[in-house]
Amino acid sequence: MNVEQDNSIAPASEGPGAGNELIFVIDDDVSVREGLAELIESLEFRVKAYSSAEEFLAKKPPDKSGCIILDVFMSGMTGLKLQQELNAANIDLPIIFLTGRGDIPMTVHALKAGAAHFLTKPVKETELVQALKEALHAGRQAQRQKAELTDISQRFETLAPREREVMRLVASGRLNKQIAHEMGISERTVKLYRACVMQKMAVGSLAELVKLAEKMRLGESRPKTRRADG
């Protein structure tokens, strides 16, 4: 296996593998694949190994915390192409690329596309373990953010169309008078909508509401239209 042993590495009990993360190893070199799987298991992680990107996609990776250790050059679909497929499918598993013949443009491309690390074979065991720690930390953060955004989106879906418009305008800094003018309704109606928005979005202040709007990236792309107050 193309991993240089380092006797100074911390034992497994002090290593990163204390959670329920699942590590996916994708490499068409059987010796590398099995060697990596053995190392990862020794760190008390659960690991699944695949001989190709196509096999990995066919097995439909579960939506759980973990990361991927991925070879760049494989027969069939390359690691970079798999990264594109995963990004398109919105699968948020951090990727640690491992290759024997990478270059700067390739590294920059992979990192810009969201890769956690781009390591060159042979890689030191300590370097790989550190990359795993960082990738898993990033993965946990992404999972938390995804869960939070899902919760916010579900609350947003409970808003009526006019309540959503009021939330967008309030979050953009509009005053009640301005909102009333833009929507063609009374200030009193705006206040009623604002109260409903605050309640349904489960916030206690305007600052909290603005933060939720920022997380949802509520923009002003839709054209403003005046409505009659019914």
Side-chain angles (χ1 to χ4, degrees):
M1 179 185 71
N2 289 319
V3 176
E4 295 182 351
Q5 300 297 316
D6 188 334
N7 294 328
S8 65
I9 189 171
S13 60
E14 298 176 14
N20 294 318
E21 288 90 356
L22 183 58
I23 311 300
F24 301 94
V25 176
I26 308 172
D27 199 307
D28 59 357
D29 186 321
V30 63
S31 64
V32 172
R33 187 169 67 249
E34 292 180 352
L36 284 170
E38 182 179 348
L39 168 63
I40 293 166
E41 285 179 341
S42 74
L43 297 170
E44 300 179 3
F45 285 113
R46 293 182 301 130
V47 59
K48 287 190 176 182
Y50 301 87
S51 60
S52 68
E54 291 85 352
E55 181 188 5
F56 176 73
L57 290 175
K59 296 293 179 63
K60 296 182 179 179
D63 184 17
K64 60 174 59 181
S65 182
C67 71
I68 300 172
I69 298 179
L70 178 61
D71 187 25
V72 174
F73 297 103
M74 296 181 287
S75 57
M77 184 184 295
T78 66
L80 293 175
K81 178 60 177 175
L82 175 59
Q83 182 187 35
Q84 293 177 10
E85 294 288 331
L86 295 177
N87 285 342
N90 198 29
I91 296 176
D92 299 320
L93 284 169
I95 295 175
I96 299 172
F97 277 108
L98 199 59
T99 183
R101 48 192 176 102
D103 54 36
I104 292 176
M106 182 189 301
T107 302
V108 171
H109 176 80
L111 294 175
K112 281 187 175 181
H117 286 278
F118 199 99
L119 305 179
T120 302
K121 301 174 183 176
V123 61
K124 290 184 178 180
E125 190 172 331
T126 47
E127 186 179 10
L128 181 59
V129 170
Q130 183 61 34
L132 271 173
K133 288 181 180 179
E134 294 174 3
L136 291 172
H137 177 70
R140 294 183 199 114
Q141 286 187 317
Q143 286 286 330
R144 285 193 293 269
Q145 291 171 357
K146 186 176 182 180
E148 181 184 21
L149 185 57
T150 297
D151 178 59
I152 295 170
S153 298
Q154 288 174 344
R155 282 182 264 165
F156 184 75
E157 288 298 317
T158 68
L159 301 181
R162 285 190 177 186
E163 292 170 346
R164 295 180 189 181
E165 183 71 1
V166 167
M167 176 177 171
R168 183 181 69 82
L169 292 172
V170 168
S172 69
R174 303 293 204 283
L175 301 175
N176 286 346
K177 182 183 294 187
Q178 294 172 313
I179 295 172
H181 175 73
E182 290 192 32
M183 295 183 66
I185 59 179
S186 68
E187 284 190 59
R188 179 176 179 275
T189 303
V190 171
K191 291 178 182 179
L192 291 173
Y193 283 146
R194 281 186 62 160
C196 289
V197 169
M198 300 284 281
Q199 181 182 23
K200 291 181 179 180
M201 294 304 295
V203 295
S205 68
L206 176 61
E208 290 180 71
L209 187 66
V210 171
K211 286 181 180 179
L212 295 190
E214 289 176 348
K215 289 177 180 178
M216 294 185 65
R217 298 181 181 179
L218 290 182
E220 297 192 42
S221 57
R222 289 176 295 179
K224 301 179 180 66
T225 57
R226 290 177 60 85
R227 304 182 180 94
D229 184 8

